[in-house]
PDB file of all heavy atoms in Angstrom:
ATOM      1  N   TYR A1370       8.490   6.721 -19.950  1.00 95.00           N
ATOM      2  CA  TYR A1370       9.043   7.914 -19.432  1.00 95.00           C
ATOM      3  C   TYR A1370      10.360   7.641 -18.813  1.00 95.00           C
ATOM      4  O   TYR A1370      10.758   6.666 -18.254  1.00 95.00           O
ATOM      5  CB  TYR A1370       8.116   8.259 -18.187  1.00 95.00           C
ATOM      6  CG  TYR A1370       6.681   8.486 -18.579  1.00 95.00           C
ATOM      7  CD1 TYR A1370       5.808   7.469 -18.852  1.00 95.00           C
ATOM      8  CD2 TYR A1370       6.128   9.861 -18.755  1.00 95.00           C
ATOM      9  CE1 TYR A1370       4.405   7.459 -19.248  1.00 95.00           C
ATOM     10  CE2 TYR A1370       4.796  10.014 -19.068  1.00 95.00           C
ATOM     11  CZ  TYR A1370       3.985   8.925 -19.382  1.00 95.00           C
ATOM     12  OH  TYR A1370       2.694   9.126 -19.635  1.00 95.00           O
ATOM     13  N   TYR A1372      12.804   9.471 -15.700  1.00 97.00           N
ATOM     14  CA  TYR A1372      12.935  10.494 -14.738  1.00 97.00           C
ATOM     15  C   TYR A1372      14.392  10.345 -14.015  1.00 97.00           C
ATOM     16  O   TYR A1372      15.023   9.390 -14.223  1.00 97.00           O
ATOM     17  CB  TYR A1372      11.883  10.075 -13.530  1.00 97.00           C
ATOM     18  CG  TYR A1372      10.450  10.473 -13.866  1.00 97.00           C
ATOM     19  CD1 TYR A1372       9.709   9.460 -14.773  1.00 97.00           C
ATOM     20  CD2 TYR A1372       9.832  11.576 -13.385  1.00 97.00           C
ATOM     21  CE1 TYR A1372       8.348   9.879 -15.067  1.00 97.00           C
ATOM     22  CE2 TYR A1372       8.641  11.813 -13.609  1.00 97.00           C
ATOM     23  CZ  TYR A1372       7.692  10.978 -14.464  1.00 97.00           C
ATOM     24  OH  TYR A1372       6.555  11.170 -14.717  1.00 97.00           O
ATOM     25  N   GLN A1374      16.274  11.073 -10.329  1.00 95.00           N
ATOM     26  CA  GLN A1374      16.129  11.240  -8.909  1.00 95.00           C
ATOM     27  C   GLN A1374      17.516  11.443  -8.226  1.00 95.00           C
ATOM     28  O   GLN A1374      18.240  10.494  -8.163  1.00 95.00           O
ATOM     29  CB  GLN A1374      15.434  10.019  -8.266  1.00 95.00           C
ATOM     30  CG  GLN A1374      15.015  10.275  -6.830  1.00 95.00           C
ATOM     31  CD  GLN A1374      14.185   9.046  -6.183  1.00 95.00           C
ATOM     32  OE1 GLN A1374      14.048   8.001  -6.850  1.00 95.00           O
ATOM     33  NE2 GLN A1374      13.625   9.345  -5.064  1.00 95.00           N
ATOM     34  N   GLN A1378      15.852  13.808  -3.030  1.00 91.00           N
ATOM     35  CA  GLN A1378      14.776  14.488  -3.913  1.00 91.00           C
ATOM     36  C   GLN A1378      13.756  13.562  -4.517  1.00 91.00           C
ATOM     37  O   GLN A1378      14.209  12.280  -4.517  1.00 91.00           O
ATOM     38  CB  GLN A1378      15.388  15.293  -5.070  1.00 91.00           C
ATOM     39  CG  GLN A1378      16.441  16.364  -4.622  1.00 91.00           C
ATOM     40  CD  GLN A1378      15.924  17.351  -3.809  1.00 91.00           C
ATOM     41  OE1 GLN A1378      14.872  17.886  -4.167  1.00 91.00           O
ATOM     42  NE2 GLN A1378      16.552  17.768  -2.732  1.00 91.00           N
ATOM     43  N   GLY A1379      12.732  14.049  -4.879  1.00 94.00           N
ATOM     44  CA  GLY A1379      11.660  13.170  -5.640  1.00 94.00           C
ATOM     45  C   GLY A1379      12.192  13.072  -7.057  1.00 94.00           C
ATOM     46  O   GLY A1379      13.061  13.845  -7.683  1.00 94.00           O
ATOM     47  N   PRO A1380      11.595  12.157  -7.811  1.00 95.00           N
ATOM     48  CA  PRO A1380      11.879  11.950  -9.240  1.00 95.00           C
ATOM     49  C   PRO A1380      11.568  13.219 -10.026  1.00 95.00           C
ATOM     50  O   PRO A1380      10.494  13.844  -9.830  1.00 95.00           O
ATOM     51  CB  PRO A1380      11.156  10.727  -9.787  1.00 95.00           C
ATOM     52  CG  PRO A1380      10.902   9.998  -8.463  1.00 95.00           C
ATOM     53  CD  PRO A1380      10.762  11.086  -7.392  1.00 95.00           C
ATOM     54  N   PHE A1382      11.077  14.582 -13.978  1.00 94.00           N
ATOM     55  CA  PHE A1382      10.720  14.285 -15.374  1.00 94.00           C
ATOM     56  C   PHE A1382      11.772  14.733 -16.358  1.00 94.00           C
ATOM     57  O   PHE A1382      12.284  15.789 -16.259  1.00 94.00           O
ATOM     58  CB  PHE A1382       9.298  14.885 -15.726  1.00 94.00           C
ATOM     59  CG  PHE A1382       9.036  14.716 -17.213  1.00 94.00           C
ATOM     60  CD1 PHE A1382       8.601  13.526 -17.853  1.00 94.00           C
ATOM     61  CD2 PHE A1382       9.080  15.811 -18.032  1.00 94.00           C
ATOM     62  CE1 PHE A1382       8.284  13.359 -19.135  1.00 94.00           C
ATOM     63  CE2 PHE A1382       8.720  15.728 -19.438  1.00 94.00           C
ATOM     64  CZ  PHE A1382       8.405  14.509 -19.924  1.00 94.00           C
ATOM     65  N   TYR A1385       9.346  11.907 -22.280  1.00 93.00           N
ATOM     66  CA  TYR A1385       8.090  10.975 -22.521  1.00 93.00           C
ATOM     67  C   TYR A1385       8.047  10.541 -23.922  1.00 93.00           C
ATOM     68  O   TYR A1385       8.139  11.486 -24.825  1.00 93.00           O
ATOM     69  CB  TYR A1385       6.900  11.711 -21.998  1.00 93.00           C
ATOM     70  CG  TYR A1385       5.654  11.235 -22.596  1.00 93.00           C
ATOM     71  CD1 TYR A1385       5.101   9.965 -22.442  1.00 93.00           C
ATOM     72  CD2 TYR A1385       4.777  12.037 -23.382  1.00 93.00           C
ATOM     73  CE1 TYR A1385       3.980   9.528 -22.866  1.00 93.00           C
ATOM     74  CE2 TYR A1385       3.638  11.629 -23.965  1.00 93.00           C
ATOM     75  CZ  TYR A1385       3.188  10.289 -23.680  1.00 93.00           C
ATOM     76  OH  TYR A1385       2.038   9.793 -24.155  1.00 93.00           O
ATOM     77  N   ASP A1393       7.307  14.651 -25.473  1.00 90.00           N
ATOM     78  CA  ASP A1393       7.579  15.727 -24.559  1.00 90.00           C
ATOM     79  C   ASP A1393       9.012  15.543 -24.025  1.00 90.00           C
ATOM     80  O   ASP A1393       9.215  14.585 -23.234  1.00 90.00           O
ATOM     81  CB  ASP A1393       6.567  15.851 -23.413  1.00 90.00           C
ATOM     82  CG  ASP A1393       6.752  16.891 -22.484  1.00 90.00           C
ATOM     83  OD1 ASP A1393       7.802  17.793 -22.611  1.00 90.00           O
ATOM     84  OD2 ASP A1393       5.902  17.197 -21.638  1.00 90.00           O
ATOM     85  N   LEU A1428      15.451   6.709 -13.576  1.00 97.00           N
ATOM     86  CA  LEU A1428      14.296   5.746 -13.459  1.00 97.00           C
ATOM     87  C   LEU A1428      13.575   5.740 -14.758  1.00 97.00           C
ATOM     88  O   LEU A1428      13.359   6.876 -15.356  1.00 97.00           O
ATOM     89  CB  LEU A1428      13.299   6.366 -12.403  1.00 97.00           C
ATOM     90  CG  LEU A1428      13.810   6.327 -10.959  1.00 97.00           C
ATOM     91  CD1 LEU A1428      12.863   7.018 -10.088  1.00 97.00           C
ATOM     92  CD2 LEU A1428      14.042   4.996 -10.446  1.00 97.00           C
ATOM     93  N   ALA A1435      -2.847   5.549 -21.666  1.00 70.00           N
ATOM     94  CA  ALA A1435      -4.052   6.385 -21.363  1.00 70.00           C
ATOM     95  C   ALA A1435      -3.779   7.421 -20.331  1.00 70.00           C
ATOM     96  O   ALA A1435      -2.655   7.290 -19.636  1.00 70.00           O
ATOM     97  CB  ALA A1435      -5.033   5.416 -20.669  1.00 70.00           C
ATOM     98  N   THR A1436      -4.576   8.396 -20.325  1.00 66.00           N
ATOM     99  CA  THR A1436      -4.398   9.576 -19.464  1.00 66.00           C
ATOM    100  C   THR A1436      -4.503   9.193 -18.024  1.00 66.00           C
ATOM    101  O   THR A1436      -5.428   8.325 -17.707  1.00 66.00           O
ATOM    102  CB  THR A1436      -5.612  10.701 -19.729  1.00 66.00           C
ATOM    103  OG1 THR A1436      -5.524  11.116 -21.003  1.00 66.00           O
ATOM    104  CG2 THR A1436      -5.211  11.759 -18.887  1.00 66.00           C
ATOM    105  N   ASN A1437      -3.582   9.614 -17.256  1.00 63.00           N
ATOM    106  CA  ASN A1437      -3.471   9.338 -15.815  1.00 63.00           C
ATOM    107  C   ASN A1437      -3.442   7.898 -15.485  1.00 63.00           C
ATOM    108  O   ASN A1437      -3.819   7.438 -14.437  1.00 63.00           O
ATOM    109  CB  ASN A1437      -4.701   9.937 -15.114  1.00 63.00           C
ATOM    110  CG  ASN A1437      -4.679  11.545 -15.019  1.00 63.00           C
ATOM    111  OD1 ASN A1437      -3.565  12.066 -14.902  1.00 63.00           O
ATOM    112  ND2 ASN A1437      -5.661  12.088 -15.430  1.00 63.00           N
ATOM    113  N   GLU A1438      -2.941   7.167 -16.401  1.00 75.00           N
ATOM    114  CA  GLU A1438      -2.809   5.641 -16.223  1.00 75.00           C
ATOM    115  C   GLU A1438      -1.701   5.409 -15.149  1.00 75.00           C
ATOM    116  O   GLU A1438      -0.732   6.174 -15.146  1.00 75.00           O
ATOM    117  CB  GLU A1438      -2.473   5.005 -17.577  1.00 75.00           C
ATOM    118  CG  GLU A1438      -2.588   3.389 -17.502  1.00 75.00           C
ATOM    119  CD  GLU A1438      -3.866   2.831 -17.101  1.00 75.00           C
ATOM    120  OE1 GLU A1438      -4.873   3.497 -17.237  1.00 75.00           O
ATOM    121  OE2 GLU A1438      -3.845   1.682 -16.604  1.00 75.00           O
ATOM    122  N   LYS A1439      -1.839   4.265 -14.532  1.00 83.00           N
ATOM    123  CA  LYS A1439      -0.837   3.885 -13.541  1.00 83.00           C
ATOM    124  C   LYS A1439       0.540   3.749 -14.206  1.00 83.00           C
ATOM    125  O   LYS A1439       0.585   3.098 -15.382  1.00 83.00           O
ATOM    126  CB  LYS A1439      -1.233   2.626 -12.936  1.00 83.00           C
ATOM    127  CG  LYS A1439      -0.160   1.912 -12.041  1.00 83.00           C
ATOM    128  CD  LYS A1439      -0.808   0.671 -11.453  1.00 83.00           C
ATOM    129  CE  LYS A1439       0.150  -0.080 -10.621  1.00 83.00           C
ATOM    130  NZ  LYS A1439      -0.522  -1.267 -10.082  1.00 83.00           N
ATOM    131  N   LEU A1440       1.578   4.313 -13.749  1.00 89.00           N
ATOM    132  CA  LEU A1440       3.034   4.103 -14.194  1.00 89.00           C
ATOM    133  C   LEU A1440       3.629   2.910 -13.548  1.00 89.00           C
ATOM    134  O   LEU A1440       3.580   2.750 -12.319  1.00 89.00           O
ATOM    135  CB  LEU A1440       3.845   5.407 -14.024  1.00 89.00           C
ATOM    136  CG  LEU A1440       3.430   6.655 -14.723  1.00 89.00           C
ATOM    137  CD1 LEU A1440       4.444   7.744 -14.618  1.00 89.00           C
ATOM    138  CD2 LEU A1440       3.197   6.338 -16.162  1.00 89.00           C
ATOM    139  N   PHE A1442       7.234   1.481 -12.719  1.00 94.00           N
ATOM    140  CA  PHE A1442       8.542   2.010 -12.669  1.00 94.00           C
ATOM    141  C   PHE A1442       9.617   0.798 -12.425  1.00 94.00           C
ATOM    142  O   PHE A1442       9.365  -0.262 -11.899  1.00 94.00           O
ATOM    143  CB  PHE A1442       8.925   2.888 -11.409  1.00 94.00           C
ATOM    144  CG  PHE A1442       8.418   4.226 -11.530  1.00 94.00           C
ATOM    145  CD1 PHE A1442       7.069   4.558 -11.265  1.00 94.00           C
ATOM    146  CD2 PHE A1442       9.216   5.282 -12.071  1.00 94.00           C
ATOM    147  CE1 PHE A1442       6.590   5.952 -11.445  1.00 94.00           C
ATOM    148  CE2 PHE A1442       8.781   6.569 -12.085  1.00 94.00           C
ATOM    149  CZ  PHE A1442       7.436   6.859 -11.821  1.00 94.00           C
ATOM    150  N   GLY A1443      10.685   1.041 -13.209  1.00 95.00           N
ATOM    151  CA  GLY A1443      11.825   0.128 -12.961  1.00 95.00           C
ATOM    152  C   GLY A1443      12.572   0.382 -11.749  1.00 95.00           C
ATOM    153  O   GLY A1443      12.274   1.361 -11.028  1.00 95.00           O
TER     154      GLY A1443
ATOM    155  N   SER B 562      -4.660  15.590 -11.424  1.00 91.00           N
ATOM    156  CA  SER B 562      -4.887  14.286 -10.797  1.00 91.00           C
ATOM    157  C   SER B 562      -3.761  14.179  -9.688  1.00 91.00           C
ATOM    158  O   SER B 562      -2.659  14.706  -9.920  1.00 91.00           O
ATOM    159  CB  SER B 562      -4.792  13.151 -11.928  1.00 91.00           C
ATOM    160  OG  SER B 562      -5.871  13.175 -12.675  1.00 91.00           O
ATOM    161  N   PHE B 564      -1.680  11.760  -6.821  1.00 95.00           N
ATOM    162  CA  PHE B 564      -1.132  10.351  -6.577  1.00 95.00           C
ATOM    163  C   PHE B 564      -0.307  10.347  -5.288  1.00 95.00           C
ATOM    164  O   PHE B 564       0.307  11.192  -4.827  1.00 95.00           O
ATOM    165  CB  PHE B 564      -0.260   9.922  -7.669  1.00 95.00           C
ATOM    166  CG  PHE B 564      -1.016  10.040  -9.097  1.00 95.00           C
ATOM    167  CD1 PHE B 564      -0.955  11.260  -9.777  1.00 95.00           C
ATOM    168  CD2 PHE B 564      -1.483   8.784  -9.694  1.00 95.00           C
ATOM    169  CE1 PHE B 564      -1.587  11.253 -10.968  1.00 95.00           C
ATOM    170  CE2 PHE B 564      -2.081   8.959 -10.963  1.00 95.00           C
ATOM    171  CZ  PHE B 564      -2.069  10.242 -11.671  1.00 95.00           C
ATOM    172  N   TYR B 566       2.756   7.492  -4.412  1.00 96.00           N
ATOM    173  CA  TYR B 566       3.611   6.440  -4.698  1.00 96.00           C
ATOM    174  C   TYR B 566       4.491   5.909  -3.472  1.00 96.00           C
ATOM    175  O   TYR B 566       4.701   6.848  -2.624  1.00 96.00           O
ATOM    176  CB  TYR B 566       4.544   6.750  -5.848  1.00 96.00           C
ATOM    177  CG  TYR B 566       3.922   6.668  -7.299  1.00 96.00           C
ATOM    178  CD1 TYR B 566       3.114   7.592  -7.773  1.00 96.00           C
ATOM    179  CD2 TYR B 566       4.172   5.499  -8.073  1.00 96.00           C
ATOM    180  CE1 TYR B 566       2.386   7.458  -8.975  1.00 96.00           C
ATOM    181  CE2 TYR B 566       3.674   5.530  -9.329  1.00 96.00           C
ATOM    182  CZ  TYR B 566       2.777   6.375  -9.812  1.00 96.00           C
ATOM    183  OH  TYR B 566       2.231   6.290 -11.117  1.00 96.00           O
ATOM    184  N   GLN B 568       7.829   3.717  -2.221  1.00 94.00           N
ATOM    185  CA  GLN B 568       9.109   2.943  -2.534  1.00 94.00           C
ATOM    186  C   GLN B 568       9.617   2.225  -1.426  1.00 94.00           C
ATOM    187  O   GLN B 568      10.200   2.754  -0.332  1.00 94.00           O
ATOM    188  CB  GLN B 568      10.201   3.949  -2.952  1.00 94.00           C
ATOM    189  CG  GLN B 568      11.365   3.248  -3.580  1.00 94.00           C
ATOM    190  CD  GLN B 568      12.365   4.389  -4.237  1.00 94.00           C
ATOM    191  OE1 GLN B 568      12.427   5.536  -3.885  1.00 94.00           O
ATOM    192  NE2 GLN B 568      12.892   4.003  -5.172  1.00 94.00           N
ATOM    193  N   GLY B 573      11.417  -0.669  -6.688  1.00 88.00           N
ATOM    194  CA  GLY B 573      10.982   0.392  -7.550  1.00 88.00           C
ATOM    195  C   GLY B 573       9.752   1.196  -6.856  1.00 88.00           C
ATOM    196  O   GLY B 573       9.068   0.565  -6.105  1.00 88.00           O
ATOM    197  N   LEU B 574       9.505   2.357  -7.415  1.00 93.00           N
ATOM    198  CA  LEU B 574       8.248   3.075  -7.033  1.00 93.00           C
ATOM    199  C   LEU B 574       7.007   2.340  -7.452  1.00 93.00           C
ATOM    200  O   LEU B 574       7.055   1.823  -8.653  1.00 93.00           O
ATOM    201  CB  LEU B 574       8.233   4.463  -7.780  1.00 93.00           C
ATOM    202  CG  LEU B 574       9.144   5.497  -7.192  1.00 93.00           C
ATOM    203  CD1 LEU B 574       9.380   6.626  -8.221  1.00 93.00           C
ATOM    204  CD2 LEU B 574       8.378   6.150  -6.101  1.00 93.00           C
ATOM    205  N   LEU B 576       2.613   2.552  -7.403  1.00 93.00           N
ATOM    206  CA  LEU B 576       1.412   3.389  -7.242  1.00 93.00           C
ATOM    207  C   LEU B 576       0.669   2.829  -5.928  1.00 93.00           C
ATOM    208  O   LEU B 576       0.351   1.703  -5.968  1.00 93.00           O
ATOM    209  CB  LEU B 576       0.496   3.440  -8.473  1.00 93.00           C
ATOM    210  CG  LEU B 576      -0.790   4.141  -8.237  1.00 93.00           C
ATOM    211  CD1 LEU B 576      -0.431   5.727  -8.039  1.00 93.00           C
ATOM    212  CD2 LEU B 576      -1.760   3.974  -9.435  1.00 93.00           C
ATOM    213  N   LYS B 579      -4.790   6.922  -5.992  1.00 93.00           N
ATOM    214  CA  LYS B 579      -4.841   8.202  -6.781  1.00 93.00           C
ATOM    215  C   LYS B 579      -6.188   8.715  -6.607  1.00 93.00           C
ATOM    216  O   LYS B 579      -7.200   8.044  -6.267  1.00 93.00           O
ATOM    217  CB  LYS B 579      -4.630   7.867  -8.167  1.00 93.00           C
ATOM    218  CG  LYS B 579      -5.501   7.030  -8.942  1.00 93.00           C
ATOM    219  CD  LYS B 579      -5.181   6.906 -10.363  1.00 93.00           C
ATOM    220  CE  LYS B 579      -6.325   6.246 -11.249  1.00 93.00           C
ATOM    221  NZ  LYS B 579      -5.862   5.985 -12.641  1.00 93.00           N
ATOM    222  N   PHE B 619       5.848   9.154  -1.656  1.00 97.00           N
ATOM    223  CA  PHE B 619       5.933  10.331  -2.543  1.00 97.00           C
ATOM    224  C   PHE B 619       4.529  10.794  -3.001  1.00 97.00           C
ATOM    225  O   PHE B 619       3.794   9.937  -3.510  1.00 97.00           O
ATOM    226  CB  PHE B 619       6.725  10.062  -3.784  1.00 97.00           C
ATOM    227  CG  PHE B 619       8.239   9.664  -3.588  1.00 97.00           C
ATOM    228  CD1 PHE B 619       8.728   8.497  -3.402  1.00 97.00           C
ATOM    229  CD2 PHE B 619       9.152  10.808  -3.639  1.00 97.00           C
ATOM    230  CE1 PHE B 619      10.081   8.198  -3.100  1.00 97.00           C
ATOM    231  CE2 PHE B 619      10.473  10.510  -3.445  1.00 97.00           C
ATOM    232  CZ  PHE B 619      11.006   9.213  -3.276  1.00 97.00           C
ATOM    233  N   SER B 623      -0.409  15.016 -11.683  1.00 90.00           N
ATOM    234  CA  SER B 623      -0.261  14.977 -13.067  1.00 90.00           C
ATOM    235  C   SER B 623      -1.188  16.064 -13.568  1.00 90.00           C
ATOM    236  O   SER B 623      -2.507  15.986 -13.325  1.00 90.00           O
ATOM    237  CB  SER B 623      -0.784  13.645 -13.562  1.00 90.00           C
ATOM    238  OG  SER B 623      -0.766  13.582 -14.882  1.00 90.00           O
ATOM    239  N   GLY B 627      -3.242  15.299 -20.771  1.00 59.00           N
ATOM    240  CA  GLY B 627      -3.591  14.312 -21.532  1.00 59.00           C
ATOM    241  C   GLY B 627      -2.681  13.093 -21.538  1.00 59.00           C
ATOM    242  O   GLY B 627      -2.963  11.968 -22.148  1.00 59.00           O
ATOM    243  N   TYR B 628      -1.597  13.306 -20.750  1.00 65.00           N
ATOM    244  CA  TYR B 628      -0.805  12.075 -20.341  1.00 65.00           C
ATOM    245  C   TYR B 628      -0.366  12.110 -19.005  1.00 65.00           C
ATOM    246  O   TYR B 628      -0.719  13.080 -18.317  1.00 65.00           O
ATOM    247  CB  TYR B 628       0.383  11.940 -21.447  1.00 65.00           C
ATOM    248  CG  TYR B 628       1.114  13.093 -21.615  1.00 65.00           C
ATOM    249  CD1 TYR B 628       2.350  13.366 -20.881  1.00 65.00           C
ATOM    250  CD2 TYR B 628       0.859  14.130 -22.468  1.00 65.00           C
ATOM    251  CE1 TYR B 628       3.088  14.301 -21.036  1.00 65.00           C
ATOM    252  CE2 TYR B 628       1.647  15.257 -22.711  1.00 65.00           C
ATOM    253  CZ  TYR B 628       2.840  15.430 -21.987  1.00 65.00           C
ATOM    254  OH  TYR B 628       3.588  16.439 -22.156  1.00 65.00           O
ATOM    255  N   SER B 629       0.586  11.230 -18.598  1.00 65.00           N
ATOM    256  CA  SER B 629       0.711  11.089 -17.153  1.00 65.00           C
ATOM    257  C   SER B 629       2.038  11.476 -16.540  1.00 65.00           C
ATOM    258  O   SER B 629       2.643  10.970 -15.629  1.00 65.00           O
ATOM    259  CB  SER B 629       0.715   9.504 -16.866  1.00 65.00           C
ATOM    260  OG  SER B 629      -0.673   9.088 -17.174  1.00 65.00           O
ATOM    261  N   THR B 630       2.635  12.587 -17.219  1.00 83.00           N
ATOM    262  CA  THR B 630       4.034  13.117 -16.682  1.00 83.00           C
ATOM    263  C   THR B 630       3.638  13.513 -15.206  1.00 83.00           C
ATOM    264  O   THR B 630       2.704  14.365 -14.966  1.00 83.00           O
ATOM    265  CB  THR B 630       4.362  14.325 -17.513  1.00 83.00           C
ATOM    266  OG1 THR B 630       4.648  13.845 -18.863  1.00 83.00           O
ATOM    267  CG2 THR B 630       5.638  14.853 -16.749  1.00 83.00           C
ATOM    268  N   LEU B 631       4.477  13.102 -14.203  1.00 90.00           N
ATOM    269  CA  LEU B 631       4.298  13.457 -12.913  1.00 90.00           C
ATOM    270  C   LEU B 631       5.253  14.343 -12.376  1.00 90.00           C
ATOM    271  O   LEU B 631       6.356  14.355 -12.762  1.00 90.00           O
ATOM    272  CB  LEU B 631       4.395  12.027 -12.119  1.00 90.00           C
ATOM    273  CG  LEU B 631       3.377  11.009 -12.402  1.00 90.00           C
ATOM    274  CD1 LEU B 631       3.742   9.703 -11.704  1.00 90.00           C
ATOM    275  CD2 LEU B 631       2.075  11.422 -12.028  1.00 90.00           C
ATOM    276  N   PHE B 633       6.681  15.200  -8.759  1.00 95.00           N
ATOM    277  CA  PHE B 633       6.731  14.599  -7.419  1.00 95.00           C
ATOM    278  C   PHE B 633       7.110  15.552  -6.320  1.00 95.00           C
ATOM    279  O   PHE B 633       7.938  16.514  -6.605  1.00 95.00           O
ATOM    280  CB  PHE B 633       7.882  13.472  -7.414  1.00 95.00           C
ATOM    281  CG  PHE B 633       7.384  12.100  -8.111  1.00 95.00           C
ATOM    282  CD1 PHE B 633       7.611  12.126  -9.570  1.00 95.00           C
ATOM    283  CD2 PHE B 633       6.799  11.153  -7.443  1.00 95.00           C
ATOM    284  CE1 PHE B 633       7.201  10.904 -10.170  1.00 95.00           C
ATOM    285  CE2 PHE B 633       6.508  10.037  -8.029  1.00 95.00           C
ATOM    286  CZ  PHE B 633       6.707   9.942  -9.542  1.00 95.00           C
ATOM    287  N   GLY B 634       6.747  15.235  -5.019  1.00 96.00           N
ATOM    288  CA  GLY B 634       7.344  15.818  -3.802  1.00 96.00           C
ATOM    289  C   GLY B 634       8.652  15.260  -3.606  1.00 96.00           C
ATOM    290  O   GLY B 634       9.051  14.278  -4.285  1.00 96.00           O
ATOM    291  N   LYS B 635       9.391  15.629  -2.632  1.00 96.00           N
ATOM    292  CA  LYS B 635      10.633  15.166  -2.158  1.00 96.00           C
ATOM    293  C   LYS B 635      10.591  13.731  -1.511  1.00 96.00           C
ATOM    294  O   LYS B 635      11.669  13.149  -1.394  1.00 96.00           O
ATOM    295  CB  LYS B 635      11.500  16.178  -1.278  1.00 96.00           C
ATOM    296  CG  LYS B 635      11.833  17.507  -2.051  1.00 96.00           C
ATOM    297  CD  LYS B 635      12.600  18.343  -1.137  1.00 96.00           C
ATOM    298  CE  LYS B 635      13.084  19.539  -1.833  1.00 96.00           C
ATOM    299  NZ  LYS B 635      13.804  20.522  -1.071  1.00 96.00           N
TER     300      LYS B 635
END
Side-chain angles (χ1 to χ4, degrees):
Chain A
Y1370 302 77
Y1372 286 81
Q1374 187 174 13
Q1378 304 294 315
F1382 168 73
Y1385 156 63
D1393 183 350
L1428 298 170
T1436 302
N1437 294 318
E1438 185 64 22
K1439 175 180 177 178
L1440 296 189
F1442 282 84
Chain B
S562 294
F564 304 81
Y566 276 79
Q568 188 169 33
L574 282 161
L576 178 65
K579 71 177 185 181
F619 292 90
S623 173
Y628 54 93
S629 301
T630 298
L631 297 171
F633 285 89
K635 291 186 177 183

